[in-house]
Amino acid sequence: MTAAPRADPAEIRALLAARPDHAGWQRLCTLLEQLTPDELAELTPEVLRWPAAQRPMPDHWWAQWVGGDLRPHHALAGTRRLGRLDSVETGTVPAPVAEDWDDERTEDPDGERHEDWPDAGFEEGGDDGSAGDPDGVPLDGAYFYNGVTAVAAPPGLRWLALAAAAEWHHDGGDIVRWDTTRDAPLVRYLDGGDYHDEAYDLQVSPDGETVVTAVEGGWRAWSARTGEPLWRIVPRLASAGPDDGVDRSDEGCLSMDDLVRFAFSADSRRLAVGTGGSDVVAVVETATGRVLLRVPEGEDAFGPVALDATGQLLLHAAPAGRVVLRAVAGGTVLATADTGLTTVTALAFAPDGSGAIAVGGAVGGAPESAGIAVAAHPAARLLDLRDTTLTPGRLLRPTGFTEGVDADSPTAALTSRAVWTADGPYAFVGTDFGSLLFDGRGHALWADPAGAMAAFSPDGRALVVVQEEIDAWFLAGCAPPADAAPPGGDPGPGQVLLTGLPDDLPCSYQPVRDAAVADDARALVYSAALDRRSGERPLLLVRPRADGGPPEIGRLPAVPGAAHLAGLAFGPRGDVVARGLLGDQPCLVLDEIEGGTRRWRRELPPTTPNAEERLRLAFSADGSRLVLASHAAARLVVLDAETGGKVFVLTERGGPLDQAALDASGERVACGLRAGATRLVVRDVASGKTLLRADPEQLRWITGLAFAPDGSALALAGSTLRGHAALWLLPLTADGTGGRRRAIPRIAVRDLPMHDHSDGALVWTATGPRAYFPGSHGRGAVWDAATDTVLAELPFAATEAGVALSLDGETLVTVTQFGARRWPLG
């Protein structure tokens, strides 16, 4: 007996070192089949370095794979072209690999149409005029000219279920089963001529026996093999009206435009359903459609949804990026978790029930707060599940192909999918301007600049992507090499402080511009427009409760004659807040946080006519003094924080002031003076003597100033002449004068354009300076000088949100018109 040929690993390595091409891959496939398991494992990382698109699965591998004869070398194939949409229309495939399988369909000799659907709704549904097609009757074709709206894939990929986009002028979209390995008649689940809608989610049970979708306000199930309708549910959202003789039995059913999401349990026995607009979440029995659970109305439950392996636990989405874990038996809430995602668009449980993944969007290095509508890139949050407790874990933010991929778009809500296999979780997000597949470490495995519909096979071996072409991408073959470093993560999901306010105190009808926060978020103050027709922007005071209950919310007292907020700062102990106000009677006021008592009010000179006045406030570290810098008037005023008495007043010459800071004891004051170029001035408060006058190199304008706690240095943050975010550090001598070192810029965030004159923040933490840089294109960043690390990227422009950094640099709060969120800066 002749021994099987053995491949030469040296030849394989030589092929892998060459430029990938079709002929080289065909030769590699022959050689890979001849390797021992140990040799194959050793060469796998080198094979996976070839692009997945250059590693198509050959026909004989594909025939084995779909037949369940899985070989170790199959895992090295990256993709397989299944066909095109016109292949679906005609029931054909480009390269048949199976011809003699037994026909799986059960012919109906009478060819009768099945008009009756077993009703399994929350209330009696009745017939809505839809009908099934003859079981197993060959069809002439389907209509996919307008594309697809959903696709579903069973294990093994021997066939696919596809839903066609509706014809705009009349018919709905055909929903059919298409064989992927041979030319075969289609099985039609729903004929587009019988209804006027299209399916946005199509799912196949893990055992491959049941296909489900939602159209025209009803949830429907068919036998996957024969196309026979199994049941239909028409959930009622409203009771009938008064008994006036009018039949309202169909009132309140789901809208045709309400996105419905489905998820089977791994054993296929149960099905979870969640809606996007009508807040209906339910669990039904797959075989009969019997309703096992419906989450009561008013509990803010909506899709997407997920079930654990046996269908005992339900996970669904809730407002403000939260997810809720429930027991299917009784619907009891077991746990909730804040994902920190802008939107949750897909969910999946781990096979062993130890965790879950939530897919959605995140902006920059930290997700946005509570829902403001700005572009979010694809992201996912891992959740740890132990003893029915959900704990937010790592945030996955794939890089390399996220620019322009808006994970908060309506398209992403339709296309996002998640699966968790023995190798970990995977996520897919498709948008109008890009589609992305990534794994549980944040690696981007596949990307395309166009939108796509996709579906994971229930076993998690493959992702089927439908554009004009229909392709399978094998997850094992798309995996990065084992030595690939994971993308960087984020510090955590943050903490939602507010998702809204009481009815008489809405969060804001206009963007929040001004905000300040005390250390450890003991108090938050921000401005809010309480009426669409009013220019008034009163200050709201928010204080979290020690018992974890709803925060205490109130207003700081109004100041007659001075309604325009121009400066805001907390005292270093968080017990007082200072406000600089403009108007007919401009003033500076200091209020006690406890009880809202006003400590003092100091009148300010009238503002310069036709000048854009801005006020900057800063406390000394010991809280004894407060400095106010008037931008247009170029005036510095240092006051006693206890009494409001003036300690120092000076009008600088040469241009407006940009920022101001006091040293720890309030004995020295620094300010930025803009006179052509921006310069820095440090003065002695007692005598007014100039201690330092410096022209930092390449400084364009200043966003923040801070003295070192020991007074040995002064830091300033700002923009360079080229628009880079940078830090300048000036050493100070014992007498407060400048040292001999040149003040040269240290670039902090090179890719953050800073061309607008916006206010930022600079504080000096226990380890060194920490700055918030406001960017020019709708985003900002928090940077730590000691570690040279961007701690958070924020999606907020000055006109969209308030950003507050505490004096100790450990607390970051963002406030939008939809809520407030606190972000850790560990």
Side-chain angles (χ1 to χ4, degrees):
M1 182 176 179
T2 304
R6 297 294 304 278
D8 181 3
E11 181 183 359
I12 294 177
R13 286 192 167 91
L15 287 168
L16 291 173
R19 182 174 181 176
D21 61 18
H22 178 73
W25 174 245
Q26 292 299 314
R27 175 58 180 161
L28 278 169
C29 288
T30 301
L31 297 174
L32 292 173
E33 294 173 353
Q34 302 170 12
L35 295 176
T36 66
D38 290 342
E39 291 172 332
L40 190 68
E42 182 180 353
L43 287 169
T44 291
E46 298 179 48
V47 177
L48 292 179
R49 287 190 173 90
W50 268 34
Q54 299 290 340
R55 292 183 274 112
M57 181 176 280
D59 289 350
H60 65 288
W61 287 16
W62 174 241
Q64 295 166 344
W65 197 87
V66 296
D69 181 14
L70 303 182
R71 311 288 180 90
H73 50 266
H74 291 170
L76 299 180
T79 186
R80 169 79 184 184
R81 182 191 175 197
L82 303 183
R84 295 172 52 89
L85 289 182
D86 52 13
S87 303
V88 179
E89 293 183 325
T90 58
T92 59
V93 294
V97 296
E99 296 290 348
D100 56 353
W101 288 345
D102 292 333
D103 196 335
E104 297 176 340
R105 298 164 182 76
T106 302
E107 296 280 348
D108 184 345
D110 299 325
E112 296 179 356
R113 297 179 66 86
H114 291 263
E115 299 287 349
D116 298 325
W117 290 71
D119 288 317
F122 302 132
E123 299 179 12
E124 184 177 354
D127 187 9
D128 65 353
S130 299
D133 279 292
D135 295 351
V137 175
L139 302 173
D140 293 334
Y143 188 79
F144 280 80
Y145 180 79
N146 295 317
V148 298
T149 57
V151 59
L157 303 189
R158 285 171 52 174
W159 54 272
L160 300 177
L162 299 105
E167 298 178 61
W168 67 269
H169 55 293
H170 55 90
D171 285 354
D174 291 333
I175 303 178
V176 300
R177 166 178 163 156
W178 170 65
D179 279 8
T180 61
T181 61
R182 60 177 181 168
D183 298 341
L186 300 173
V187 170
R188 193 186 301 271
Y189 300 119
L190 197 58
D191 190 320
D194 292 337
Y195 77 115
H196 304 281
D197 197 4
E198 52 191 6
Y200 296 119
D201 192 11
L202 194 62
Q203 294 290 330
V204 175
S205 59
D207 60 11
E209 294 295 322
T210 307
V211 172
V212 296
T213 193
V215 291
E216 292 190 323
W219 310 338
R220 308 184 183 212
W222 296 269
S223 165
R225 290 183 296 118
T226 68
E228 178 184 0
L230 301 178
W231 46 259
R232 179 191 57 183
I233 295 175
V234 182
R236 304 300 187 205
L237 302 183
S239 60
D243 186 11
D244 54 5
V246 178
D247 181 10
R248 294 186 174 88
S249 59
D250 285 335
E251 285 191 1
C253 66
L254 292 177
S255 164
M256 291 170 58
D257 297 326
D258 193 12
L259 177 61
V260 181
R261 300 296 299 273
F262 297 93
F264 283 95
S265 57
D267 62 10
S268 301
R269 297 175 60 188
R270 292 181 174 181
L271 172 69
V273 191
T275 66
S278 50
D279 296 356
V280 173
V281 172
V283 178
V284 303
E285 191 174 67
T286 303
T288 65
R290 181 170 64 93
V291 178
L292 305 176
L293 167 68
R294 179 180 179 179
V295 176
E297 295 179 28
E299 295 197 10
D300 290 330
F302 53 87
V305 290
L307 286 172
D308 70 345
T310 59
Q312 304 300 312
L313 297 177
L314 166 69
L315 193 65
H316 66 79
R322 292 179 295 118
V323 293
V324 179
L325 181 69
R326 293 179 185 266
V328 173
T332 305
V333 174
L334 303 177
T336 62
D338 175 24
T339 67
L341 300 172
T342 59
T343 307
V344 177
T345 53
L347 295 167
F349 273 102
D352 61 1
S354 62
I357 182 174
V359 180
V363 183
E368 66 174 302
S369 68
I372 190 170
V374 294
H377 300 324
R381 176 71 67 185
L382 299 180
L383 302 166
D384 184 65
L385 176 56
R386 299 179 186 275
D387 300 325
T388 65
T389 299
L390 279 176
T391 304
R394 185 180 174 208
L395 179 68
L396 308 176
R397 295 184 60 245
T399 58
F401 190 79
T402 58
E403 195 66 33
V405 181
D406 183 3
D408 279 348
S409 69
T411 305
L414 298 178
T415 63
S416 296
R417 299 291 184 266
V419 70
W420 198 311
T421 74
D423 295 325
Y426 296 86
F428 172 84
V429 178
T431 70
D432 293 331
F433 302 103
S435 303
L436 184 69
L437 166 69
F438 59 98
D439 65 10
R441 299 177 68 196
H443 292 291
L445 305 183
W446 173 89
D448 192 277
M453 293 293 171
F456 290 102
S457 60
D459 56 14
R461 296 182 184 275
L463 176 76
V464 175
V465 177
V466 182
Q467 295 168 311
E468 184 64 31
E469 303 280 345
I470 305 173
D471 300 295
W473 294 87
F474 304 104
L475 301 186
C478 292
D483 56 356
D490 287 277
Q495 171 192 3
V496 173
L497 300 178
L498 296 172
T499 57
L501 296 178
D503 293 339
D504 61 333
L505 290 174
C507 205
S508 181
Y509 286 118
Q510 299 176 19
V512 176
R513 297 187 181 93
D514 303 290
V517 65
D519 292 352
D520 201 32
R522 294 192 300 270
L524 168 69
V525 173
Y526 70 94
S527 62
L530 303 183
D531 191 293
R532 295 179 188 272
R533 296 171 297 278
S534 172
E536 181 186 5
R537 298 184 70 92
L539 282 183
L540 301 183
L541 173 63
V542 181
R543 290 193 295 171
R545 294 169 49 135
D547 59 5
E552 299 177 3
I553 302 170
R555 302 190 199 188
L556 289 179
V559 180
H564 176 65
L565 180 67
L568 186 65
F570 271 103
R573 291 183 294 275
D575 57 339
V576 295
V577 62
R579 286 180 283 169
L581 300 165
L582 300 177
D584 295 336
Q585 302 174 34
C587 62
L588 176 65
V589 297
L590 192 74
D591 294 322
E592 305 277 356
I593 294 302
E594 192 65 39
T597 305
R598 177 155 304 150
R599 182 179 292 183
W600 49 258
R601 169 176 175 167
R602 169 65 62 179
E603 302 297 331
L604 300 177
T607 57
T608 304
N610 302 319
E612 184 182 352
E613 183 64 282
R614 296 191 300 272
L615 306 177
R616 271 79 174 199
L617 303 176
F619 282 86
S620 59
D622 62 7
S624 64
R625 290 178 175 177
L626 169 67
V627 62
L628 178 145
S630 301
H631 170 76
R635 183 185 299 108
L636 279 174
V637 182
V638 179
L639 302 104
D640 184 288
E642 185 65 32
T643 65
K646 292 181 181 179
V647 178
F648 174 79
V649 179
L650 176 70
T651 299
E652 293 281 4
R653 296 181 179 181
L657 299 182
D658 269 340
Q659 292 289 338
L662 289 169
D663 67 0
S665 59
E667 296 175 354
R668 288 176 290 176
V669 61
C671 67
L673 184 63
R674 195 187 311 165
T678 300
R679 63 180 50 184
L680 186 72
V681 178
V682 179
R683 294 185 179 275
D684 179 74
V685 170
S687 64
K689 177 183 176 182
T690 300
L691 302 178
L692 172 66
R693 188 178 292 269
D695 296 291
E697 292 187 16
Q698 302 181 41
L699 175 62
R700 184 167 181 244
W701 51 279
I702 301 174
T703 59
L705 282 173
F707 281 91
D710 62 1
S712 63
L714 176 68
L716 67 91
S719 170
T720 68
L721 295 177
R722 294 188 176 184
H724 294 308
L727 180 81
W728 288 258
L729 196 62
L730 289 84
L732 300 176
T733 61
D735 61 359
T737 59
R740 294 182 179 180
R741 286 175 49 193
R742 296 165 55 199
I744 59 177
R746 175 183 176 186
I747 304 301
V749 190
R750 289 186 178 273
D751 60 346
L752 182 70
M754 292 181 58
H755 302 293
D756 301 331
H757 296 273
S758 301
D759 287 340
L762 179 66
V763 297
W764 203 300
T765 71
T767 58
R770 183 170 291 180
Y772 159 60
F773 292 104
S776 300
H777 300 316
R779 71 183 184 99
V782 178
W783 175 78
D784 182 70
T787 59
D788 194 19
T789 302
V790 175
L791 302 181
E793 296 179 31
L794 304 175
F796 308 113
T799 58
E800 292 176 333
V803 179
L805 185 64
S806 64
L807 291 175
D808 64 2
E810 298 297 324
T811 301
L812 173 70
V813 171
T814 55
V815 188
T816 75
Q817 54 192 315
F818 293 95
R821 190 183 291 270
R822 174 185 178 182
W823 301 103
L825 294 177

